[in-house]
Amino acid sequence: MSSKKITLKSSDGETLEVEVAIAVQSQTIKHMIEDDCADGGIPLPNVTSKILAKVIEYCKKHVENSKKEDSIEEEDELKEWECNFLQVDQQILCDLIHAANYLNIKSLLDLTCRRVADMIKGKTPEEIRRTFNIKNDFTPEEEEEVRRENKWALE
Amino acid sequence: MDVLPPHLIVEILSRLNDPTDLVCCRLASKTLNSLSYEVRRISLLCSRNRYMKSRAPETRTLITPFKTIINNFIRSSRLLDSVTIGVFERSLVEMYDENELEGEFDDLYLTDERFIGEWLPFVCRRLRSLSISDFWSQSCWRRSETLSVISSHCHVLQELKLKNAWLSVDGLKPMLMLTCLTLEFIRLDDEDLNKINDCFPSLQVLNLVSVGGLKEPKIRLLHLKTCQWAVSNVPFSLTILAPNLVTLKLKCVRPKSLIIQAPLLSFLHLSLIDAGVFDVKDFPSIRVFKLESLNLSRLIVKFPFGKTVEHLTVNMPPSTKISRPLYFYSLFDIFPNLSSLALGPGAWSELELWYCREGLEGRVGMKGLKEIKAHLVVYDIEATLSCIFSLLDLCTNLVKVTLLIHRHVDSNTSSKLKLRCTGDYPKIRWKWGFWKEESRDIWGLLL
């Protein structure tokens, strides 16, 4: 049984053929198809082939999952899959967030942002800076003032 | 993280459930500090720790009052579209065992309409989701007009959840955008649910869990798709009129009258002892049916629908005596097109008892069964195994069998059981797991 396919072109010149049902998980791609701009393939100048492959992997899993029966076992299995899917370094996670935003895939954006939020959980300000390579641009007085304004959280 | 544009950083910060984490981000850099005030959602919970400190004489004056925290936070975060505030969860025992003096305080009385009125106007224009979980000892004896305040201010609210409060419906105005309403442990002064029905006509999801103050409640909502209702035995009658209802979970005791009109119902969970007048109109689309009742055998014949049910789950409280006739046989008469059957622990033990005394006979529907799931407590492994095998011999088209073994059964017995099953019936896809009372595997337990 043949299903309609569409060609996606990544920023580094590679092409990927994907079933339409999977590609339209991205609202951006969906609108381009509806507006008839999809002939000859859809160019995605903001997404590399490596990241695009990962995004398509995610969309495929979600299309498969939507056909299954709702049950506790399926939910757990999906959570485990998503956990494994996100075993990537920070740079790739960051790229996935960009891609999910650009391609407008709400569930992937939610998943990736939640993952970063989990990485922040329970950390001190210094630990947060170290994890994400953030420079402390407060003067000691400014830092003290922010601390005072938020003292309730540190009680 | 600096490579991310501001709005994506805000997306990440909005998913920090604990405000302490948000404050740590504020202290990390100036950018994070300013972006933190643009978060879209917030969840402020008064922890037990904070509560203890606010009562202990040595820390009482050093702790910022919880209501002040809420006020300051919400007023400085103008882009919020989702607000959750609450007090730490206590067990039912703790709730009723509370120090009487607690009632004299109101520092944690969150559904106080005057308190709500202090911060709600700052965010009401964008607010889509609001959840307030109150402190029972301070709220249960104070009648709150919070529904009036919320309905006056929040014109785009879609989801509302209120827990542990006494709610008046005086001054409640229609909220046409509200699609999801959850009331848990609420004393509601709307005895037949008239005001609720009239003011929330667009509801698609309604959850009423332990809502008291009802007399002859009637749910009549045109757009309702999902309904969960757990109600005590106080109401005289229960009526649900919902032409678009697809999923219904109803847990009641022994209503004198139970009327359900939901022609599109596909998914029904019913947990009750018995019902007097039982007017359940035909459900021509019902696919999944879960029934838990003390009088399972007697009740099951009252359901006029059965041909469309594909997935059936039954359970009853375990008993030592065997009721005649065995409920199991009537299942296949009433539900001839079953493809999967799940038996709760009480249902399985009754089947096993019966099997040991009388054996199991075949029934027509058994040959159509593809999947079985059972909750086992293994007292006598040979008896359990023989019962399982007898069932497998009768249901010749079974493909998948899921057996959940009670957590207290020792691992030797479980392993032996698994070995025998997979050895004797290798063609079956076996799935194993555990269950114990109150865990997720058990759906509803009767009193």
Side-chain angles (χ1 to χ4, degrees):
Chain A
M1 188 168 89
S2 70
S3 34
K4 247 183 115 187
K5 288 207 170 142
I6 191 137
T7 308
L8 304 175
K9 294 191 201 145
S10 66
S11 61
D12 44 344
E14 290 205 21
T15 55
L16 201 62
E17 255 210 354
V18 181
E19 278 178 36
V20 171
I22 294 173
V24 295
Q25 298 288 299
S26 151
Q27 293 295 307
T28 307
I29 294 179
K30 183 164 185 252
H31 292 146
M32 284 174 89
I33 294 178
E34 285 168 353
D35 291 345
D36 236 352
C37 314
D39 284 345
I42 296 185
L44 301 171
N46 291 357
V47 191
T48 63
S49 53
K50 187 173 175 198
I51 298 295
L52 186 59
K54 251 256 358 123
V55 170
I56 296 302
E57 193 192 328
Y58 174 86
C59 293
K60 201 168 168 209
K61 179 71 181 173
H62 266 250
V63 168
E64 271 172 26
N65 203 63
S66 65
K67 296 189 184 139
K68 291 195 189 151
E69 188 72 45
D70 262 340
S71 75
I72 291 173
E73 291 101 30
E74 297 298 352
E75 259 180 65
D76 286 343
E77 204 246 333
L78 183 64
K79 278 199 188 114
E80 208 187 312
W81 186 93
E82 287 180 341
C83 192
N84 287 333
F85 177 77
L86 290 177
Q87 297 290 352
V88 292
D89 64 46
Q90 247 191 63
Q91 183 55 56
I92 298 196
L93 186 57
C94 199
D95 291 339
L96 279 173
I97 294 180
H98 269 293
N101 177 54
Y102 170 66
L103 292 170
N104 199 347
I105 306 172
K106 203 158 154 234
S107 58
L108 181 59
L109 185 64
D110 181 52
L111 180 68
T112 45
C113 288
R114 265 191 290 128
R115 174 87 186 93
V116 180
D118 286 343
M119 287 163 72
I120 295 176
K121 219 157 110 162
K123 290 195 164 75
T124 64
E126 182 50 43
E127 286 166 346
I128 294 174
R129 284 187 211 118
R130 238 181 297 133
T131 308
F132 298 103
N133 232 335
I134 298 173
K135 194 161 159 271
N136 180 3
D137 52 355
F138 284 118
T139 67
E141 296 82 34
E142 285 168 338
E143 190 169 333
E144 188 46 47
E145 190 177 337
V146 177
R147 222 173 262 279
R148 237 186 309 120
E149 283 167 0
N150 293 282
K151 79 171 182 78
W152 57 267
L154 311 160
E155 273 159 2
Chain B
M1 205 152 91
D2 342 332
V3 246
L4 287 174
H7 77 276
L8 289 180
I9 298 182
V10 170
E11 287 282 346
I12 294 169
L13 294 178
S14 296
R15 284 164 174 84
L16 290 170
N17 277 324
D18 188 343
T20 316
D21 292 323
L22 195 63
V23 165
C24 287
C25 285
R26 284 182 180 169
L27 286 166
S29 83
K30 285 186 180 174
T31 313
L32 287 183
N33 187 22
S34 74
L35 288 177
S36 76
Y37 291 98
E38 293 182 30
V39 286
R40 302 291 192 259
R41 52 197 102 129
I42 191 56
S43 180
L44 294 164
L45 191 73
C46 178
S47 66
R48 191 189 291 270
N49 203 12
R50 175 174 288 279
Y51 166 69
M52 305 289 262
K53 284 190 183 161
S54 69
R55 295 289 183 267
E58 56 281 6
T59 42
R60 186 158 58 199
T61 47
L62 305 169
I63 282 276
T64 314
F66 189 54
K67 285 189 181 177
T68 308
I69 296 173
I70 295 175
N71 252 313
N72 290 343
F73 202 104
I74 294 183
R75 288 195 209 198
S76 59
S77 312
R78 305 296 193 96
L79 298 179
L80 288 171
D81 62 32
S82 166
V83 170
T84 301
I85 57 175
V87 182
F88 65 98
E89 283 291 337
R90 273 120 56 246
S91 68
L92 276 174
V93 172
E94 276 178 301
M95 266 158 81
Y96 290 120
D97 205 25
E98 219 81 73
N99 185 350
E100 269 171 43
L101 279 177
E102 200 46 67
E104 307 217 342
F105 291 100
D106 68 354
D107 60 329
L108 292 175
Y109 174 38
L110 301 180
T111 48
D112 182 355
E113 65 269 6
R114 291 163 300 178
F115 168 63
I116 306 270
E118 283 169 18
W119 52 265
L120 195 59
F122 288 87
V123 285
C124 60
R125 248 184 259 124
R126 309 175 71 108
L127 201 64
R128 294 200 184 276
S129 169
L130 176 61
S131 169
I132 306 175
S133 199
D134 213 339
F135 193 51
W136 184 249
S137 334
Q138 294 185 11
S139 64
C140 69
W141 64 276
R142 292 176 162 118
R143 193 161 173 262
S144 162
E145 314 253 311
T146 202
L147 281 175
S148 172
V149 176
I150 293 173
S151 63
S152 304
H153 285 100
C154 301
H155 302 296
V156 294
L157 198 67
Q158 292 173 345
E159 286 177 24
L160 177 61
K161 177 173 173 178
L162 297 167
K163 193 169 173 183
N164 300 333
W166 177 6
L167 300 174
S168 150
V169 290
D170 291 345
L172 173 60
K173 299 173 191 56
M175 292 181 75
L176 304 177
M177 302 278 283
L178 200 75
T179 53
C180 181
L181 177 66
T182 300
L183 300 176
E184 269 181 57
F185 295 106
I186 298 284
R187 180 176 157 185
L188 186 68
D189 285 356
D190 185 16
E191 51 184 39
D192 295 338
L193 295 179
N194 282 329
K195 250 326 193 35
I196 297 286
N197 285 314
D198 290 340
C199 293
F200 304 126
S202 315
L203 280 185
Q204 293 177 19
V205 179
L206 177 61
N207 299 312
L208 300 174
V209 179
S210 298
V211 174
L214 304 177
K215 224 157 111 180
E216 295 196 49
K218 194 188 261 185
I219 293 175
R220 36 175 180 83
L221 292 165
L222 189 61
H223 301 283
L224 199 65
K225 291 219 181 77
T226 303
C227 180
Q228 192 191 162
W229 199 0
V231 58
S232 73
N233 208 29
V234 173
F236 185 82
S237 67
L238 303 174
T239 308
I240 300 173
L241 307 172
N244 282 298
L245 196 64
V246 172
T247 302
L248 173 62
K249 275 190 191 172
L250 178 60
K251 189 168 171 185
C252 48
V253 181
R254 203 194 296 259
K256 290 181 194 59
S257 159
L258 175 61
I259 299 172
I260 306 175
Q261 274 181 36
L264 296 183
L265 201 66
S266 171
F267 198 86
L268 174 62
H269 271 218
L270 198 49
S271 172
L272 74 176
I273 293 184
D274 205 343
V277 171
F278 202 72
D279 185 357
V280 172
K281 293 270 179 289
D282 196 11
F283 299 135
S285 327
I286 190 155
R287 271 189 337 111
V288 180
F289 184 32
K290 297 193 184 187
L291 178 62
E292 180 155 23
S293 174
L294 191 66
N295 293 313
L296 187 73
S297 320
R298 218 166 59 77
L299 208 57
I300 205 134
V301 298
K302 288 192 183 183
F303 292 92
F305 54 89
K307 297 205 173 54
T308 52
V309 176
E310 293 167 23
H311 307 277
L312 179 67
T313 303
V314 290
N315 197 24
M316 61 262 262
S319 73
T320 46
K321 38 179 201 122
I322 300 178
S323 59
R324 287 180 175 267
L326 177 65
Y327 74 91
F328 192 70
Y329 294 136
S330 46
L331 294 184
F332 294 99
D333 296 331
I334 301 171
F335 306 102
N337 297 313
L338 281 186
S339 72
S340 92
L341 175 63
L343 302 176
W348 175 265
S349 56
E350 178 146 329
L351 180 69
E352 208 181 286
L353 276 171
W354 182 279
Y355 166 77
C356 291
R357 283 246 305 250
E358 316 252 344
L360 276 184
E361 301 159 17
R363 279 289 190 279
V364 175
M366 287 179 179
K367 297 219 186 296
L369 212 55
K370 291 211 184 67
E371 251 189 77
I372 280 190
K373 185 176 188 180
H375 292 73
L376 312 176
V377 183
V378 186
Y379 293 119
D380 174 354
I381 190 173
E382 288 306 323
T384 305
L385 279 171
S386 314
C387 188
I388 295 173
F389 294 160
S390 174
L391 206 55
L392 290 176
D393 291 337
L394 290 171
C395 306
T396 47
N397 284 312
L398 272 184
V399 166
K400 180 174 171 192
V401 176
T402 305
L403 296 180
L404 303 173
I405 304 174
H406 194 272
R407 279 223 179 265
H408 292 323
V409 172
D410 71 275
S411 50
N412 272 340
T413 313
S414 310
S415 313
K416 219 165 120 192
L417 194 80
K418 286 184 199 179
L419 232 69
R420 285 284 298 276
C421 288
T422 48
D424 287 19
Y425 290 83
K427 292 220 182 90
I428 297 280
R429 187 153 60 102
W430 294 95
K431 208 158 168 214
W432 303 95
F434 297 102
W435 73 273
K436 68 179 205 286
E437 286 83 355
E438 300 298 283
S439 78
R440 221 170 34 171
D441 302 319
I442 294 294
W443 163 70
L445 280 179
L446 287 180
L447 335 135

